Amino acid sequence: MAVASQKAKGNKGGRSELAKAEERTAFWLLFPTLLLLLLIGIYPLGQVFYLSLTNKRFASAQETQFIGLSNYANLLGMTLRELPVETDDAGNPELDENGNRQYVNDRLFLRRLDTERAFDTVSTFNLFGTRYVLGATNADFLKSIWDTAVFAVSAVFLETVLGLIIALALARKFFGRGLMRTAMLIPWAIITVVSSLIWEWMFKSDRSGFFNAFFEQLGVSSGNTVWLVNPALQMPSIIAIDVWKTTPFMALLLLAGLATIPKELYEAAEVDGASKIRQFFSVTLPLLVPTLAVALIFRTLDSLRVFDLFQIVFGESRYSMATFAQFQLVASKDMGLSAASSVIIFFIILVFAILYMRSLGVDND
């Protein structure tokens, strides 16, 4: 009774003394890491936030001035306008050879707007029979956000599906499985610079490129497809490069997750008469969700900050968010604008990370 009374008194305040001591020990063990993070992470991040509010120039003697949110207004300023129809002298709409209405040039229309800021075209689109133009004070940055988002979503989806298929295949016992697991990692082991240059040669616009030569032999094309020049083919091409390189990484993570699933569950499912498809959706997929969530977070965040692949393949012809920030710093020497774009990238990635962790239940798992 006395022991029980002491335990009740110890737990009356909520946590026991032992639990509190363990928390203190954990804190002091983590303190050096937190201090190091503060020195090498938080302080530089604070400097970037400060620079984003100034007009500081890179490698320049120009006096730095505080300009507030002007850099953010430059990057995120947008306008949506209805595009007027071309008319003749009588005021009737002009038609093209197909009988469709002709609209005024979107770039000239935006430049003629009587506003304090100059806008450039991001895109034009039809909505309920009316044509609109979306303009921005920095069209390249908004396009880089869209291109990065399309790249990240498409690449991660394909890598996850293909990685899961490969992981399921390699989880089964067959002759040469060890060799296949090793060969699977070759694309991931090749550094991005080398793999990008290899694929850039394969996507060459003439018959010296692998794909043009291959499709010409099949009679599918004339052998002069401009893969990396045609805007419609640029994104599929760069997504293919990333999928080829990073799918092994996803497969490796998912293969590790499959190894933690007890074999007894599959044996019990077979006894109950469950088919392989039913076993996948009832046993494999639910138990693989924690591993799948971590893999998705890693790859999505990595894809959103993609730099090297866009820089090597496209240079300054098409930007990701990271290459845009680098261009503003190195080519334009505008540290303030580069810092502001980096801050926006930081918040975009932060939002993606929070949404992923909440929707996939990473905290609970």
Side-chain angles (χ1 to χ4, degrees):
M1 292 292 293
V3 174
S5 176
Q6 291 178 357
K7 287 184 177 179
K9 290 180 179 179
N11 293 329
K12 190 175 180 180
R15 294 172 298 172
S16 65
E17 290 298 326
L18 179 60
K20 293 179 180 178
E22 289 178 346
E23 288 184 2
R24 288 194 295 269
T25 303
F27 171 78
W28 287 112
L29 289 174
L30 289 174
F31 181 74
T33 303
L34 294 175
L35 183 61
L36 186 63
L37 180 63
L38 178 66
L39 293 175
I40 68 174
I42 298 179
Y43 174 74
L45 184 61
Q47 283 291 99
V48 173
F49 273 89
Y50 169 72
L51 287 174
S52 70
L53 304 175
T54 68
N55 64 346
K56 186 174 179 60
R57 306 287 299 178
F58 180 65
S60 172
Q62 173 185 309
E63 182 181 355
T64 301
Q65 296 178 338
F66 183 83
I67 59 174
L69 300 177
S70 295
N71 287 323
Y72 294 98
N74 184 0
L75 291 171
L76 300 176
M78 291 181 287
T79 184
L80 181 64
R81 302 295 180 104
E82 181 180 342
L83 204 58
V85 179
E86 289 276 11
T87 58
D88 55 22
D89 296 335
N92 299 317
E94 292 190 359
L95 306 178
D96 59 15
E97 56 185 11
N98 296 320
N100 299 318
R101 291 184 176 184
Q102 288 187 317
Y103 294 88
V104 299
N105 184 275
D106 51 273
R107 294 184 182 274
L108 293 176
F109 172 71
L110 290 176
R111 289 173 186 173
R112 292 170 184 167
L113 292 178
D114 186 16
T115 59
E116 295 180 358
R117 293 176 182 162
F119 293 97
D120 195 8
T121 302
V122 176
S123 65
T124 57
F125 57 92
N126 292 320
L127 184 63
F128 303 117
T130 305
R131 191 162 186 81
Y132 293 91
V133 55
L134 176 63
T137 52
N138 201 314
D140 286 336
F141 183 65
L142 290 184
K143 289 177 181 177
S144 74
I145 294 177
W146 173 255
D147 285 343
T148 305
V150 171
F151 169 81
V153 172
S154 302
V156 172
F157 173 77
L158 292 173
E159 289 161 7
T160 303
V161 173
L162 295 176
L164 181 59
I165 294 173
I166 295 172
L168 290 172
L170 293 179
R172 302 180 64 85
K173 293 183 179 180
F174 59 89
F175 178 76
R177 183 175 66 169
L179 180 62
M180 288 298 296
R181 286 182 174 182
T182 304
M184 176 192 70
L185 294 176
I186 292 177
W188 176 250
I190 299 175
I191 61 175
T192 305
V193 174
V194 176
S195 63
S196 299
L197 291 175
I198 292 173
W199 278 83
E200 189 177 14
W201 165 76
M202 295 172 69
F203 278 124
K204 272 194 172 182
S205 302
D206 53 29
R207 292 178 179 83
S208 63
F210 170 78
F211 288 106
N212 273 331
F214 178 73
F215 288 127
E216 185 186 24
Q217 290 294 324
L218 294 179
V220 177
S221 70
S222 61
N224 294 309
T225 305
V226 285
W227 299 95
L228 301 179
V229 179
N230 187 345
L233 298 176
Q234 285 179 333
M235 289 305 296
S237 299
I238 203 168
I239 289 170
I241 298 173
D242 191 70
V243 169
W244 175 83
K245 176 173 174 55
T246 318
T247 296
F249 173 75
M250 293 292 288
L252 188 64
L253 290 179
L254 296 177
L255 187 61
L258 289 172
T260 64
I261 301 177
K263 302 297 182 184
E264 292 79 5
L265 296 178
Y266 293 104
E267 294 174 358
E270 288 184 359
V271 171
D272 292 339
S275 63
K276 294 296 181 182
I277 296 177
R278 183 64 182 271
Q279 290 178 31
F280 173 77
F281 286 103
S282 301
V283 179
T284 304
L285 196 57
L287 295 178
L288 198 61
V289 166
T291 304
L292 189 61
V294 173
L296 283 172
I297 290 173
F298 272 111
R299 277 304 304 139
T300 302
L301 301 189
D302 196 36
S303 297
L304 286 173
R305 58 183 177 84
V306 60
F307 171 80
D308 43 11
L309 189 56
F310 271 77
Q311 182 68 17
I312 294 167
V313 176
F314 294 144
E316 297 177 6
S317 64
R318 194 161 188 167
Y319 298 110
S320 68
M321 293 188 294
T323 58
F324 176 87
Q326 186 265 355
F327 173 78
Q328 296 303 318
L329 176 64
V330 177
S332 299
K333 300 187 182 300
D334 194 335
M335 287 189 70
L337 198 64
S338 177
S341 61
S342 300
V343 171
I344 294 173
I345 295 170
F346 169 77
F347 279 110
I348 290 175
I349 293 177
L350 180 64
V351 169
F352 264 86
I354 293 173
L355 290 176
Y356 255 134
M357 288 188 289
R358 288 184 178 274
S359 60
L360 296 176
V362 174
D363 291 337
N364 298 330
D365 294 329

